[in-house]
Amino acid sequence: MNAIEQTLRAVAEAVLSDRDAAKVDLDALADRMAQIADANPNIGPRTRLKRLLKLISSRLGMALLGAYGPFASQPLSARRQTLMRWSTGRPLQRTAFQALKRLALFAAYGCEPSLWPIGYEPLEPSAGFDLETSDLPSEADFIVVGSGAGGSVAAAALAQAGFDVCVLESGINPRQLGLNEADGFHQLFLGGGALTTRDLSVSILAGGALGGGTTVNWLTCYRPPTLDQWERDSGLPKRKIEEQIERIESRLEVNDNPVELNLSNLALQRGCQNLGWSVHRLRRNGTNCADRCAPCTFGCPYGAKQSAPLTYLKDACAHGAKIVCDAPAKRILFNRDRATGVELSNGEQVMARRGVVIACGAIESPALLLRSGLRGIGANLSLHVTTATFAQYDDPVSAFWGAPQAVACDQFLDEGILIETPALYPGFAAAAFPWPGDPLEPGLAVFLSIIADAGEGRITLDRHGQAVIDYRPGTRTSERLLKGIEEMIRLHEAAGGRNIRTLHQPPTDRPGKIVPNRIGLFSAHQMGSCSRAVDALGRAKGKDGLFIADASLFPTSLGVNPMITVMALAAYVAEDIVASS
């Protein structure tokens, strides 16, 4: 066993409780940690993690982090003291702690059945999407880069109008759906599920396979509450967007059919009712879910989730569109100021006779445009930055089963705070919860607060040409995060929860300051990062034949789950392209 392997084993032993460490093979766990670290497709973060492991494997490196002797040579109690000190120390120490803790706990609880909580039983995966993909053509009328909420709708509209359409998807066409947690994150999420801001303070979840976010989201279908503001400030016509929403909801079969509430949803509803707060059942694009949900995050194995591959991509293919997977776009090709095609990362090219539609999402769309030489791109990034609280309940139902999001509390929506419930998986939960502690206590229920932030983020490129996410919550966003925590605690108390905790490090039952890597922060909705480079019709300023049709168009943070809004804006953009072509 080399020095890095010894360090990984020592980290795993220190992070796990004595009880849980005794249940696993620590050598095998160290191997799994190394495999997960090596599988990160983002070169920069993967390299930084390897440097960290090398650093703490040496006496000098540990001295730079304020400790003595190689990490693996310290007694177990000293290793735990070192990690605890780092968890509240200087920024570099906090970043190191979070990287090590998350890696060890995800590898352990996400992959080791002996650590899974009562009530969690992964299903057998089903076959993947019944959607034919193609080889790369030499040319098409329109190239659509991205197959998620925006790209699928744009592709369908253009194909139905009679144009020859090629859809480029950087990720895979999954052969299986309803995957286990480790495989699901690796195969279906951007960055293999390991994507974060540059400083690791915000974990980023974004779809990274065929169907994008529509394949991995939790089916929640909100109408946008911002249309009046967007029409007034940005020229987006409210009536036309609402017309598109009606069509989108019909195609996705959006409904409010009741589903059985799991523990988190049951507790949220009960807490709101006991406080007299506004709570409502969510509208969802699921049909015949039949209360058998569990693996929504890793692709619906029942075909109940009306995701893009079952709806708009299917429509696009029926009208002749070609879908090419494993086709990451490197840059857009131009003839002077007109978009003429796309070059892939392997050097292959596909030419566009009429135009290129960018719909890679608010992280990858600006990265592609920056690699293509455009400027003024990447600012105004909103993340719907999210945190959570958790508590124990005596209810006989589990939070690890059932519809992930079925009810929501919109009592504070006008203040930029929406309270919902997350899907719960052992590895992700253990990596997110504060340390030390039992991350998967019996009767666990979790609430999350989605914050309408103020566009404090920015996308830039690293030296490898990959996206770098910088984000620091401003004063207003931090105030909303703290208020969201306070109100979630009140909800847990009103619902009968006990041992209530926030995601602050170290563990606490009261709100604290919003300090990077001292509180668990997440983002499942990214938006706004191209809004300053386009007009109200999604046309790139100063470029002909180049359009943007995804959440990066949003002028401001939305405040609610964005899928329906993304699709409606993409339909609006595509309608104008058809009319002008």
Side-chain angles (χ1 to χ4, degrees), residues 501-523:
R501 293 290 184 270
T502 73
L503 296 188
H504 283 87
Q505 180 66 39
T508 179
D509 61 353
R510 292 292 110 185
K513 294 181 179 180
I514 306 300
V515 178
N517 288 313
R518 287 286 303 274
I519 180 174
L521 298 177
F522 307 89
S523 166

Side-chain angles (χ1 to χ4, degrees), residues 17 22 49 185 234 393 466 484 498 523 533 577:
S17 67
L49 179 56
F185 275 118
S234 303
Y393 290 82
Q466 294 184 318
R498 51 189 169 80
S523 166
I577 296 173

Side-chain angles (χ1 to χ4, degrees), residues 250-289:
S250 175
R251 182 65 185 93
L252 298 185
E253 301 184 58
V254 175
N255 64 81
D256 56 4
N257 296 337
V259 294
E260 186 175 347
L261 301 185
N262 68 11
L263 180 53
S264 293
N265 284 281
L266 190 66
L268 178 57
Q269 177 177 264
R270 186 167 63 220
C272 287
Q273 291 172 341
N274 289 344
L275 290 170
W277 289 1
S278 176
V279 62
H280 61 275
R281 290 266 184 166
L282 291 169
R283 303 176 73 234
R284 307 165 71 246
N285 64 317
T287 61
N288 193 31
C289 288

Side-chain angles (χ1 to χ4, degrees), residues 76-244:
L76 178 58
S77 60
R79 277 179 268 149
R80 287 174 173 163
Q81 289 172 4
T82 296
L83 290 173
M84 180 57 72
R85 188 169 64 252
W86 287 353
S87 75
T88 58
R90 302 190 307 272
L92 180 60
Q93 292 173 322
R94 298 198 305 269
T95 299
F97 165 76
Q98 289 293 343
L100 298 171
K101 181 203 78 164
R102 294 174 193 174
L103 176 61
L105 291 179
F106 180 81
Y109 290 91
C111 306
E112 180 52 61
S114 66
L115 300 181
W116 289 343
I118 296 173
Y120 177 72
E121 295 182 12
L123 298 179
E124 287 296 321
S126 70
F129 297 119
D130 183 19
L131 195 67
E132 184 176 351
T133 57
S134 305
D135 294 331
L136 187 72
S138 60
E139 61 180 358
D141 290 333
F142 286 98
I143 302 168
V144 179
V145 187
S147 68
S152 64
V153 170
L158 293 170
Q160 288 168 343
F163 294 110
D164 179 20
V165 176
C166 172
V167 179
L168 301 178
E169 168 55 53
S170 64
I172 64 169
N173 180 6
R175 289 178 292 181
Q176 292 183 315
L177 298 172
L179 295 161
N180 65 61
E181 185 177 10
D183 290 339
F185 275 118
H186 178 64
Q187 294 184 28
L188 302 181
F189 280 81
L190 203 61
L195 192 64
T196 70
T197 52
R198 187 199 301 260
D199 64 356
L200 269 67
S201 64
V202 184
S203 296
I204 308 291
L205 297 176
L210 185 68
T214 73
T215 295
V216 300
N217 71 18
W218 299 335
L219 294 86
T220 301
C221 295
Y222 268 104
R223 292 190 169 195
T226 54
L227 289 184
D228 287 329
Q229 177 188 354
W230 287 0
E231 182 173 53
R232 182 183 66 248
D233 298 341
S234 303
L236 286 167
K238 177 181 178 180
R239 183 181 60 80
K240 288 188 176 182
I241 301 299
E242 288 177 333
E243 290 173 355
Q244 298 292 355

Side-chain angles (χ1 to χ4, degrees), residues 329-331 361-373 377-378 459-461 465-468 529-530:
K330 179 180 180 180
R331 65 187 179 102
I363 295 171
E364 291 301 327
S365 284
L368 174 58
L369 294 171
L370 288 168
R371 288 195 298 270
S372 304
I377 302 289
I459 300 294
T460 56
L461 298 178
Q466 294 184 318
V468 175
S529 51
C530 293

Side-chain angles (χ1 to χ4, degrees), residues 300-329:
C300 176
Y302 309 115
K305 182 193 295 187
Q306 298 303 293
S307 58
L310 299 188
T311 55
Y312 285 100
L313 291 177
K314 184 177 180 180
D315 296 344
C317 288
H319 288 82
K322 298 179 179 65
I323 299 175
V324 185
C325 290
D326 293 305

Side-chain angles (χ1 to χ4, degrees), residues 381-385 416 451-457 471 476-477 480 525 527 556-559:
L381 173 69
S382 291
L383 294 183
H384 269 182
V385 64
I451 303 302
D453 48 349
E456 295 104 319
Y471 184 89
R476 187 180 71 173
T477 299
R480 289 178 173 179
H525 310 146
M527 62 205 79
T556 66
S557 183
L558 187 65

